[in-house]
Amino acid sequence: MSSVSIPEDVFDVIILGGGPAGFTAGIYASRAGMKTLMLSGSAGASQITFTPHVENFPGFPDGVGGYELVQKLKKQAAKFGLQTKSEDAKSIKQIDLGGVKGWEVEAKSAYKTLALISATGTSWRKIGIPGEDEYVGRGISYCATCDAPFFRDREVAVIGGGDTAIEEAGFLTKFATKVTIIHRRDKLRATQIIQQRAFANEKINFIWDSYPEEIAGGDDGVTSLKIKNIKSGEMSELKVDGVFIFIGLDPNTELLKGIVDLDPSGYIQVDRDMKTSAPGIFAGGDCTCKLLRQVITACGDGATAAFAAQHYVRVLKGDSY
């Protein structure tokens, strides 16, 4: 294939998302000499930045803070020339770029690129019960790391039974006098070592086979939680000053609906090279269909996506090897 003339304002790669997958992709793409732009979002934070201690990321025998890890990735990517803008992508469309197909991302400005990597991650899932929206920020939280200090010497509830819910419950005991975990089953989904820590913590209590029906409160915020036992149907009321909700995640993939194939839950379907169903669009990290959503797998996805995008761009330009 003969080389083509690409307009100077076109990026080789645009990365959406500023978490481990995005910054790893940025490191690999920029280090390979690709003209790369990251749109990290106006919030400027990924889910991992709210994790106080990551103890299973290789190379850190004593663990590492999520925020610290992302800052190290960001610094490393900048070293290789990654351009970063704290902007939210609003729309994506396919366009013609000098005789080849590319993509235009609309944010504060319109950015053109030959390849696109989605590393947009996930957002906390809401329960969708009365009182939830009303008391967000006034007793309801989706981030213990962010808000636990506001509940010093108070009693709180945690909804959920996975790793995040149980780890966050443990963190809350540093501040709250009592933490009650409410789980819809009679056993936890969290990994064994995390469960053991929770069961050994005297400040943590459990309400099994139950689900919250309503969050009640007043002018000063949350005051109680109405709970239904799934097996008996019995209703009860738990007096609490705060409710922390950790029932799962939803992928941030709205922009790509109708452009790439998604699974029924909205996660991006990719092959082993992180290619999506759309030419020139790759994806990695928590927004993709996968078994394990961890920092280490996100980094691997980002590296693979960047390498695949690099090869794709070189083929488009006619200078592949």
Side-chain angles (χ1 to χ4, degrees):
M1 179 179 178
S2 59
S3 61
V4 296
S5 178
I6 305 296
E8 291 185 2
D9 64 339
V10 176
F11 288 92
D12 293 323
V13 181
I14 287 180
I15 300 166
L16 304 180
F23 275 115
T24 304
I27 290 168
Y28 272 72
S30 298
R31 185 172 179 271
M34 310 294 282
K35 184 180 179 183
T36 309
L37 171 68
M38 171 186 284
L39 299 178
S40 61
S42 58
S46 71
Q47 294 286 4
I48 191 62
T49 60
F50 301 116
T51 301
H53 190 70
V54 180
E55 62 183 9
N56 58 355
F57 191 80
F60 294 89
D62 297 321
V64 60
Y67 178 81
E68 179 188 354
L69 180 59
V70 170
Q71 292 306 303
K72 288 180 180 292
L73 291 170
K74 183 177 182 179
K75 183 177 180 180
Q76 188 173 1
K79 172 185 174 182
F80 293 115
L82 176 67
Q83 299 181 51
T84 304
K85 293 181 181 290
S86 301
E87 298 180 18
D88 295 310
K90 300 174 182 177
S91 65
I92 300 167
K93 65 179 180 181
Q94 192 172 42
I95 59 173
D96 181 81
L97 296 172
V100 298
K101 293 294 184 181
W103 298 92
E104 183 176 87
V105 180
E106 184 71 31
K108 287 185 178 179
S109 299
Y111 303 103
K112 301 172 184 177
T113 185
L114 296 173
L116 184 69
I117 297 175
S118 176
T120 49
T122 55
S123 297
W124 299 116
R125 181 177 300 155
K126 291 187 175 182
I127 302 175
I129 58 175
E132 183 174 12
D133 290 336
E134 182 180 354
Y135 292 105
V136 169
R138 296 198 300 134
I140 295 178
S141 174
Y142 304 87
C143 178
T145 310
C146 311
D147 298 327
F150 296 113
F151 296 89
R152 190 180 299 276
D153 300 326
R154 297 187 178 187
E155 296 187 7
V156 300
V158 168
I159 314 299
D163 283 358
T164 300
I166 308 308
E167 284 186 314
E168 296 286 68
F171 181 76
L172 281 163
T173 61
K174 296 180 180 181
F175 303 91
T177 56
K178 181 179 178 181
V179 177
T180 301
I181 295 175
I182 301 165
H183 188 42
R184 61 167 48 243
R185 297 178 177 83
D186 60 2
K187 59 183 178 181
L188 301 173
R189 291 182 289 107
T191 53
Q192 195 63 34
I193 188 172
I194 296 172
Q195 290 191 41
Q196 290 171 356
R197 291 170 184 165
F199 292 139
N201 194 318
E202 295 180 352
K203 286 188 174 182
I204 294 180
N205 299 272
F206 295 87
I207 297 178
W208 303 104
D209 300 315
S210 299
Y211 197 73
E213 287 279 305
E214 182 180 348
I215 300 168
D219 293 340
D220 295 329
V222 169
T223 56
S224 65
L225 187 61
K226 294 182 180 179
I227 303 166
K228 181 178 182 179
N229 185 287
I230 294 172
K231 292 183 177 179
S232 68
E234 181 182 351
M235 295 293 298
S236 62
E237 186 173 12
L238 179 69
K239 297 292 184 181
V240 290
D241 301 298
V243 179
F244 289 79
I245 301 171
F246 306 106
I247 60 170
L249 301 165
D250 290 317
N252 299 322
T253 56
E254 283 291 328
L255 282 178
L256 291 171
K257 281 185 177 179
I259 297 176
V260 303
D261 290 342
L262 307 176
D263 76 356
S265 297
Y267 289 94
I268 302 171
Q269 294 184 335
V270 293
D271 66 11
R272 66 180 186 180
D273 296 329
M274 299 295 120
K275 295 179 182 177
T276 70
S277 59
I281 298 184
F282 306 82
D286 287 3
C287 64
T288 64
C289 299
K290 58 193 301 183
L291 175 64
L292 183 63
R293 292 187 172 88
Q294 296 280 287
V295 180
I296 185 63
T297 59
C299 291
D301 291 350
T304 301
F307 188 79
Q310 173 190 339
H311 178 71
Y312 174 83
V313 169
R314 284 179 169 162
V315 169
L316 280 186
K317 290 182 174 181
D319 61 0
S320 61
Y321 51 89

